[in-house]
Amino acid sequence: MSINSHSILKRQVTNEESLVTCPAFKSHRRKNYSWLRHGVLSWFGCWVFLICLLLSTTGYSRNLTSRPAVVNIGALFTFESSIGRVAKIAIQEAVKDVNANSSILRGTKLNVDVRNSNCSGFLGMVEALRFMETDIVAIIGPQSSVVARIISHVANQLQVPLLSFAATDPSLNSLQFPFFVQTTQSDLHQMAAISDVVDYYGWKQVTAIYIDDDYGRNGMSALGDKLAERRCRISYKVGVPPDSGVNGTDILDMLIKVASMESRVIVLHVNPDVGFEVFSVANRLQMMGNGWVWIATNWLSSVLDSASPLPSETMDSIQGVLFLRQHTPDSDRKRAFYSRWRKLTGGSLGLNSYGLYAYDSVWLIAHAIDAFFNQGGIISFSNDSRLRSVKDSGLHLEAMSIFDDGKLLLNNILQSDLVGLTGRIKFDTERSLILPAYDVNNVFGTGFKRIGYWSNYSGLTVVPPEMLYTKPPNRSSANQELYKVIWPGDTLFTPRGWAFANNGKQLRIGVPLRVSFREFVSQARGTDTFKGFCIDVFTSAITLLPYPVQYQFIPFGDGKNNPSYTELVYKITTGLFDAVVGDVAIVTNRTKILDFTQPYVASGLVVVAPFRKSNSGAWAFLGPFSARLWIVTGCFFFVVGLVVWILEHRINDEFRGPPKRQIITVIWFSLSTLFSTHRENTMSTLARFVLLIWLFVVLIINSNYTASLTSILTVHQLSSHIKGIESLKESDEPVGYQVGSFAEYYLSEEVGISKSRLVALGSPEEYAKALKLGPGKGGVAAIVDERPYVELFLAGQCTFRIVGREFTKSGWGFAFPSDSPLAVDMSTAILALSENGDLQRIHDKWLMQSTCSSDTSELEADKLYLRSFWGLFLLCGLACFISLVIHVLQIIRLFYAAPAESASPGQCPSRSGCIRRLLTLMDQKEDPTKNASKRRKLETSLSGKDQDGESLRNPKRKEIERTIGATST
């Protein structure tokens, strides 16, 4: 590369823009001191030389005044592109507006040097290098992300800010390019918007067609990351060569491969020329019809906005396409600029969003330069000492100089906060514009319509994002919304987004080759066909799909033993099978790597054990209660009797008498409450309160006892020493499980049963034999297996029963690869089978009903334990305690109130005397006359009050009574 420019050094020293050249300094730069050979030099020239010589000791420098008359900036883009044609006019108009506004640069004029990159990365790089040898303080552009990446390295070294309104490569914002500033939205946000659209319509995989350069590859990388966050993925991607040499044949071959893939959602991230060629070829291949989805990035919006209307054949080829466009809020200033634009172009060129960003980029630089001058910044340039070594190479690289205060200008740009045509211009900590948003558009007819918006604040909405910024963010799926879309093929029905690969291959479906429980799945002898309950469910469900599915069953197993179902489903992840059909349990470790359909049969692990019938004996009446419950109940009978005796002893003659009689009374009274036949009347309020609570407790206990005893005496009881999985865990007896079942893993890893205790069994016959032998004769104490197998086993084995409860909850389903759309459609079909009754009919066809009762309620009923009644006993105990406390307090009050024979009230000659007196007071019968006298005094007091009241009401009558009394006297 050669730069046809010499190191002509210019310096602006006055506001009149006069340029002064220092010949002595030029001579010094060339290390040619020829002035010594020329004789006498004027004194003025000597002073100029000395000043220049001092400056050259630290590297050549050009200093400008703080407020120069002109500030130069550069602009680099492709003039003849859809973006460049708009950007050129927008930049020129922005410069005019800045210079016409005296409040911005205040006397300094902004001058822009616009250069054409001609759609060439090489020419763009050359023009950028030519900028670097002039007094350029910032560059707007370039348009291409590829060119921007190259020039950014130079901008970093020469400290010239590079502001691009069209380079959207997300990797350009990295720390590698500190002087590169994206003044438009990064593709990182655009790919997030596309991912949200894909997730909104329920698609799980997409095909990506991209331009094979930094712009396309980094865009696809961002798309893959954003799709992964939503559990989606790029299933196939193909790159298009970035040069202009790509032709229709190459695109045809590429699209034929795309059409043979499963995904019908295509993301097109290319340049306009390639994009329209792709659409044209896809239209010929009928890839723009029903079932297809095309999503274009914002390259399409730039063309439709600036060159609309397009030719009819072009519009016909993009019908139903979704595309994105950078969202710019509506404003009066924006509407005024659109009106001005129409006058400038006469309607021949439309204004796209890139033109708005280019216009705002100029204003952004102007505000940053103004702040730069206000901070005392000086536009000065210095030679890069590292370029001196290559000055004799013929490239003249020494002409490029470093912008001394470039970092200050860059910081002002990044710290700017203003409002432009595109809305608020402010950068976040990651050097990206804040509040990114896009319009989601749909092509139909001769134009397009907006179906909604996307923003990283609220996701997909039909409300402009700026109206939601004042509300709390809400990214919930229920809040995501778009208007109806007219899809390719002129349909409103949302495409499924996938189809079976058109490559002539059938689905390879793995089927377990079982040797037992063949009612579920089995292979017909001598054929390749399979039958059974699971097979019938699968074939019935697949016929309900709205599209044909070609498949073939492939057996898995040696035919001698049941295969390992864990190995079977893992074959899907290796690509050996496309799906697995059979009695496959849906368990956690499998769902982590596979997708399962809706369960078509409920399942779970249960325990099967032998049982024996137990007949009621002579002591059957003791069966309803546990020993502890019998003891506590008996104790409470005597406690309640004793409490009632204490409360009634002083006032009730029936609870008094000789000690023997009193003991018999307590025992009789307490036991007779069981049948409510006690003869003794209670006179104390506290005793009646205790007795009321106790009779309620007796009623509950008596009712439960009667019910339990009735069950014992009337129902045949089945007993087994195995009560469930807990009793198996606590014992050391062997436990059986089915070969190939996940029960082995669950029992050893989850339950904690040693593998040495686990016995593999392969058939129902082995089940029965092992259970009959028992652990003492080489058999097992119980078998743990899934409920469907156990129910089929118990259908012909009446000497075994399910004991305990089902201790896992799961089901059987068909396994597919992760994110397989077929799994979703099959789940819908299984639900349809369940709703129309076909699933139950298939079950009745293959799985016969049991002739033996498997009702676990016949097994030995659990006894009634103390834990079932502790609340009642607690209530009764509290009643007794409270009543006794109140009674004792009453006795103490009497103890202190009643006088003793030889002491004042409340005093005793000794401690033993006090105790004897207290016991005597408790045993002493209360005098009934005291209560009678109290009642008489109360009646007298009440009658006196009545008479006084009558006298007050009738004073004349009182006077007559007084007169009669005096006469009689």
Side-chain angles (χ1 to χ4, degrees):
M1 179 184 67
S2 175
I3 299 176
N4 298 321
S5 175
H6 297 285
S7 178
I8 301 174
L9 308 177
K10 300 178 181 179
R11 180 167 55 94
Q12 184 178 8
V13 295
T14 66
N15 290 335
E16 287 78 11
E17 301 179 12
S18 60
L19 300 175
V20 177
T21 303
C22 180
F25 177 65
K26 288 184 178 180
S27 302
H28 173 73
R29 291 280 296 168
R30 291 191 299 268
K31 298 185 184 300
N32 183 7
Y33 302 98
S34 59
W35 61 275
L36 294 175
R37 296 190 299 269
H38 287 256
V40 180
L41 194 67
S42 67
W43 63 270
F44 179 76
C46 292
W47 279 108
V48 171
F49 167 73
L50 291 175
I51 294 173
C52 294
L53 183 62
L54 289 174
L55 292 175
S56 66
T57 59
T58 58
Y60 170 67
S61 175
R62 291 173 291 166
N63 297 319
L64 281 69
T65 61
S66 59
R67 284 282 180 176
V70 176
V71 174
N72 296 314
I73 62 173
L76 180 65
F77 48 85
T78 302
F79 289 175
E80 298 304 318
S81 65
S82 59
I83 296 176
R85 285 191 292 269
V86 174
K88 183 177 182 180
I89 300 175
I91 291 174
Q92 291 172 348
E93 292 302 309
V95 171
K96 292 179 182 178
D97 293 344
V98 168
N99 291 331
N101 192 331
S102 60
S103 64
I104 301 300
L105 294 177
R106 286 173 287 184
T108 299
K109 296 298 182 181
L110 190 67
N111 180 54
V112 58
D113 184 3
V114 181
R115 299 190 182 184
N116 187 6
S117 63
N118 291 316
C119 293
S120 170
F122 175 75
L123 292 179
M125 181 179 61
V126 171
E127 293 296 338
L129 292 176
R130 291 180 61 191
F131 274 140
M132 300 303 178
E133 62 180 3
T134 61
D135 297 335
I136 297 295
V137 298
I139 299 176
I140 298 176
Q143 174 183 333
S144 167
S145 296
V146 176
V147 178
R149 181 177 293 273
I150 297 173
I151 300 176
S152 292
H153 291 286
V154 180
N156 291 345
Q157 296 299 320
L158 302 182
Q159 299 182 10
V160 177
L162 199 63
L163 287 76
S164 178
F165 59 89
T168 56
D169 183 350
S171 66
L172 289 174
N173 268 353
S174 65
L175 298 177
Q176 183 182 5
F177 307 110
F179 279 83
F180 179 84
V181 180
Q182 277 181 335
T183 58
T184 186
Q185 302 295 345
S186 168
D187 276 344
L188 183 68
H189 303 299
Q190 181 174 210
M191 298 310 168
I194 292 176
S195 301
D196 277 348
V197 171
V198 171
D199 184 56
Y200 174 77
Y201 289 109
W203 304 317
K204 293 299 181 183
Q205 52 188 0
V206 303
T207 296
I209 301 175
Y210 63 97
I211 197 75
D212 195 9
D213 56 14
D214 290 338
Y215 160 73
R217 287 190 296 269
N218 292 328
M220 288 301 99
S221 177
L223 177 62
D225 293 341
K226 294 300 180 181
L227 286 172
E229 293 175 4
R230 294 153 182 82
R231 298 194 64 184
C232 306
R233 64 187 180 94
I234 300 175
S235 60
Y236 179 71
K237 56 184 177 182
V238 56
V240 179
D243 56 11
S244 58
V246 62
N247 53 45
T249 303
D250 297 331
I251 294 177
L252 178 65
D253 295 339
M254 175 192 69
L255 290 182
I256 290 175
K257 292 181 180 179
V258 170
S260 67
M261 299 300 160
E262 185 178 83
S263 174
R264 289 294 182 263
V265 181
I266 300 177
V267 176
L268 192 58
H269 185 54
V270 293
N271 57 48
D273 293 337
V274 173
F276 285 112
E277 183 66 23
V278 169
F279 281 131
S280 177
V281 176
N283 202 43
R284 295 201 303 267
L285 293 177
Q286 298 183 350
M287 295 175 64
M288 301 296 295
N290 288 334
W292 289 90
V293 177
W294 289 81
I295 303 175
T297 52
N298 53 15
W299 65 265
L300 182 55
S301 67
S302 66
V303 178
L304 292 176
D305 288 336
S306 59
S308 184
L310 296 176
S312 58
E313 60 273 13
T314 303
M315 292 301 299
D316 290 341
S317 67
I318 60 175
Q319 291 296 304
V321 174
L322 297 180
F323 67 92
L324 299 182
R325 175 176 59 189
Q326 294 101 327
H327 173 72
T328 55
D330 196 16
S331 64
D332 293 338
R333 185 181 174 190
K334 177 182 173 182
R335 286 191 292 268
F337 189 78
Y338 266 95
S339 177
R340 175 182 168 188
W341 183 270
R342 285 190 292 269
K343 294 178 181 179
L344 287 171
T345 61
S348 61
L349 181 65
L351 177 61
N352 55 40
S353 58
Y354 288 111
L356 298 176
Y357 281 110
Y359 181 91
D360 282 350
S361 297
V362 175
W363 277 91
L364 176 61
I365 291 178
H367 280 277
I369 292 175
D370 187 55
F372 173 82
F373 289 144
N374 290 338
Q375 295 169 357
I378 298 177
I379 297 178
S380 62
F381 298 84
S382 301
N383 277 9
D384 190 345
S385 59
R386 290 171 295 183
L387 296 177
R388 294 177 182 175
S389 59
V390 295
K391 70 175 184 177
D392 296 331
S393 64
L395 296 177
H396 302 287
L397 295 178
E398 69 276 7
M400 294 187 294
S401 54
I402 299 173
F403 181 19
D404 294 333
D405 285 335
K407 290 184 179 180
L408 178 60
L409 180 60
L410 175 65
N411 291 334
N412 287 331
I413 292 173
L414 296 176
Q415 294 172 7
S416 298
D417 189 357
L418 63 149
V419 178
L421 297 181
T422 59
R424 188 180 179 189
I425 304 173
K426 182 177 174 62
F427 297 92
D428 58 19
T429 56
E430 296 180 356
R431 301 159 55 93
S432 297
L433 290 175
I434 63 172
L435 304 176
Y438 287 85
D439 298 338
V440 184
N441 301 287
N442 176 214
V443 178
F444 79 101
T446 58
F448 59 89
K449 67 174 182 178
R450 183 170 52 219
I451 62 172
Y453 307 88
W454 177 90
S455 70
N456 68 339
Y457 187 81
S458 55
L460 297 172
T461 65
V462 294
V463 180
E466 56 270 17
M467 298 179 63
L468 301 175
Y469 293 147
T470 57
K471 302 177 181 179
N474 188 351
R475 295 296 300 269
S476 64
S477 57
N479 197 53
Q480 305 300 291
E481 183 182 7
L482 291 175
Y483 289 124
K484 290 290 185 180
V485 176
I486 299 178
W487 301 101
D490 293 333
T491 178
L492 292 174
F493 181 75
T494 303
R496 189 172 61 247
W498 69 279
F500 285 104
N502 188 21
N503 50 20
K505 294 183 179 179
Q506 294 179 326
L507 286 180
R508 294 170 54 86
I509 299 179
V511 181
L513 195 59
R514 295 194 59 89
V515 295
S516 63
F517 297 108
R518 295 171 60 85
E519 292 84 351
F520 294 106
V521 57
S522 62
Q523 185 178 18
R525 298 184 182 278
T527 66
D528 294 333
T529 60
F530 287 82
K531 61 182 180 178
F533 170 71
C534 302
I535 301 299
D536 280 4
V537 172
F538 175 78
T539 54
S540 299
I542 209 166
T543 57
L544 297 179
L545 298 180
Y547 46 84
V549 178
Q550 297 181 351
Y551 62 89
Q552 60 175 336
F553 290 134
I554 301 175
F556 179 80
D558 57 8
K560 299 178 181 179
N561 297 293
N562 292 333
S564 170
Y565 280 65
T566 300
E567 294 181 7
L568 173 59
V569 296
Y570 280 173
K571 294 298 182 181
I572 297 178
T573 62
T574 63
L576 180 62
F577 296 136
D578 299 314
V580 168
V581 171
D583 45 341
V584 181
I586 304 174
V587 294
T588 304
N589 59 345
R590 296 174 183 173
T591 58
K592 292 179 180 179
I593 58 174
L594 301 170
D595 278 353
F596 284 85
T597 62
Q598 173 81 13
Y600 58 87
V601 64
S603 180
L605 293 178
V606 294
V607 178
V608 180
F611 71 94
R612 59 181 178 83
K613 293 184 178 181
S614 59
N615 299 320
S616 57
W619 300 99
F621 68 91
L622 296 176
F625 287 175
S626 64
R628 183 176 296 180
L629 182 57
W630 276 118
I631 293 172
V632 173
T633 303
C635 291
F636 259 86
F637 270 105
F638 290 104
V639 169
V640 170
L642 181 60
V643 170
V644 172
W645 176 83
I646 293 173
L647 298 175
E648 291 288 322
H649 180 67
R650 298 186 68 249
I651 61 175
N652 194 338
D653 291 336
E654 294 182 357
F655 289 87
R656 297 186 63 82
K660 181 178 180 180
R661 177 187 173 186
Q662 294 183 51
I663 293 174
I664 294 173
T665 299
V666 170
I667 295 174
W668 166 254
F669 178 83
S670 61
L671 294 177
S672 63
T673 56
L674 180 62
F675 311 101
S676 299
T677 59
H678 50 281
R679 298 174 302 176
E680 294 78 10
N681 294 323
T682 54
M683 300 175 62
S684 170
T685 303
L686 295 175
R688 290 175 179 177
F689 171 67
V690 172
L691 188 59
L692 177 64
I693 300 298
W694 174 243
L695 290 177
F696 175 72
V697 174
V698 169
L699 174 64
I700 300 300
I701 294 177
N702 193 18
S703 300
N704 283 273
Y705 177 84
T706 303
S708 182
L709 183 61
T710 302
S711 176
I712 291 175
L713 297 177
T714 59
V715 179
H716 292 292
Q717 299 297 307
L718 309 179
S719 64
S720 173
H721 71 286
I722 301 297
K723 304 300 180 183
I725 188 64
E726 291 299 328
S727 60
L728 281 179
K729 180 179 179 180
E730 295 171 357
S731 68
D732 57 355
E733 297 175 328
V735 180
Y737 68 92
Q738 184 182 171
V739 174
S741 171
F742 78 98
E744 178 187 12
Y745 172 84
Y746 186 87
L747 292 174
S748 61
E749 300 298 331
E750 301 295 335
V751 179
I753 297 177
S754 173
K755 289 188 177 181
S756 61
R757 293 176 52 197
L758 301 179
V759 179
L761 303 173
S763 65
E765 292 76 16
E766 293 183 12
Y767 280 20
K769 180 180 179 181
L771 288 172
K772 289 178 180 178
L773 289 175
K777 298 181 180 179
V780 295
I783 293 175
V784 176
D785 205 350
E786 296 178 73
R787 180 175 284 275
Y789 301 122
V790 171
E791 289 178 347
L792 192 59
F793 168 69
L794 295 180
Q797 298 288 341
C798 299
T799 58
F800 310 109
R801 284 290 184 274
I802 296 175
V803 295
R805 297 180 179 180
E806 187 174 308
F807 54 93
T808 64
K809 293 290 184 181
S810 61
W812 290 354
F814 305 131
F816 292 89
S818 295
D819 300 323
S820 171
L822 186 57
V824 178
D825 290 348
M826 285 294 290
S827 295
T828 304
I830 291 172
L831 288 175
L833 289 177
S834 177
E835 292 173 357
N836 61 25
D838 287 346
L839 190 60
Q840 185 61 43
R841 284 189 285 271
I842 296 174
H843 179 276
D844 296 340
K845 171 185 174 182
W846 288 99
L847 307 179
M848 61 181 177
Q849 298 297 319
S850 175
T851 58
C852 305
S853 175
S854 60
D855 188 2
T856 58
S857 63
E858 291 186 1
L859 293 176
E860 184 177 12
D862 291 338
K863 294 178 180 292
L864 297 175
Y865 291 94
L866 178 61
R867 61 177 176 268
S868 302
F869 301 97
W870 72 268
L872 290 174
F873 288 121
L874 177 61
L875 179 63
C876 184
L878 287 175
C880 294
F881 177 76
I882 292 172
S883 299
L884 285 176
V885 169
I886 295 174
H887 181 72
V888 170
L889 291 177
Q890 291 175 346
I891 295 298
I892 293 175
R893 183 176 62 84
L894 292 175
F895 172 77
Y896 282 99
E901 295 179 356
S902 59
S904 60
Q907 296 183 356
C908 301
S910 63
R911 180 177 297 180
S912 60
C914 286
I915 295 175
R916 285 195 302 270
R917 183 183 167 200
L918 182 61
L919 294 177
T920 301
L921 186 60
M922 294 177 64
D923 185 61
Q924 182 181 353
K925 187 176 187 307
E926 185 176 344
D927 188 2
T929 59
K930 293 182 180 181
N931 293 333
S933 63
K934 290 181 181 179
R935 285 194 295 269
R936 285 195 298 270
K937 289 179 180 180
L938 181 60
E939 292 173 357
T940 302
S941 175
L942 293 174
S943 62
K945 290 181 180 180
D946 292 341
Q947 290 177 2
D948 292 340
E950 184 65 24
S951 299
L952 290 174
R953 289 191 297 270
N954 197 345
K956 188 173 182 179
R957 179 180 176 183
K958 182 177 181 181
E959 184 64 28
I960 294 172
E961 290 177 351
R962 188 178 301 165
T963 304
I964 294 172
T967 304
S968 60
T969 304

